[in-house]
Amino acid sequence: MRREELVAQLEAAKELTSVVSIDNVIALIRHLEAEVIVEKLVKLTPAVSEQIAEEISRVLDYNSSDLVDTDSVEFELDCYNTISVTNASIDVDSIMTHIDSVLIRFIEDAE
């Protein structure tokens, strides 16, 4: 018996009388089916781990222009008129977006 069926039976009993026997309720509850939750476990093997790392590396390399926050780069001009980068921040949100997309693809493929 499912939860919806139990509720329907109790509603029907409620229409007949305002008093429902506790013994009847307990008997109905005992007939409830257990709710089943199915989870699929995917084993992360060294081969799969290597595939994920290679794919992340490939995606980050392909999108390398997104990885540095170009608005935060600081430059310095030295006495020889050479420009050098003194500070550059990475765009963590962009990197995590690329990594997340790779992991989601691997999870979907495993299912």
Side-chain angles (χ1 to χ4, degrees):
M1 176 183 310
R2 297 180 135 197
R3 183 174 148 172
E4 295 83 18
E5 294 169 342
L6 173 62
V7 171
Q9 286 186 11
L10 289 173
E11 290 290 337
K14 182 178 160 184
E15 289 179 12
L16 297 176
T17 179
S18 61
V19 178
V20 177
S21 165
I22 293 180
D23 292 332
N24 290 344
V25 173
I26 291 172
L28 288 172
I29 291 173
R30 286 192 177 134
H31 286 91
L32 280 177
E33 294 176 0
E35 191 173 321
V36 178
I37 299 173
V38 178
E39 291 183 16
K40 184 176 181 178
L41 298 176
V42 178
K43 186 174 181 181
L44 186 61
T45 63
V48 172
S49 176
E50 188 175 324
Q51 284 179 330
I52 292 171
E54 288 174 0
E55 183 65 17
I56 288 173
S57 178
R58 189 187 64 73
V59 166
L60 292 179
D61 186 45
Y62 180 77
N63 296 289
S64 60
S65 61
D66 297 344
L67 306 182
V68 175
D69 181 11
T70 55
D71 294 332
S72 69
V73 177
E74 297 175 12
F75 299 95
E76 185 177 86
L77 182 63
D78 64 16
C79 61
Y80 301 107
N81 287 334
T82 304
I83 299 174
S84 59
V85 175
T86 58
N87 189 18
S89 298
I90 60 170
D91 188 352
V92 176
D93 290 335
S94 177
I95 293 171
M96 291 310 299
T97 299
H98 294 304
I99 292 172
D100 192 44
S101 69
V102 170
L103 294 176
I104 287 171
R105 262 198 317 265
F106 271 90
I107 290 169
E108 289 171 350
D109 290 347
E111 292 175 349

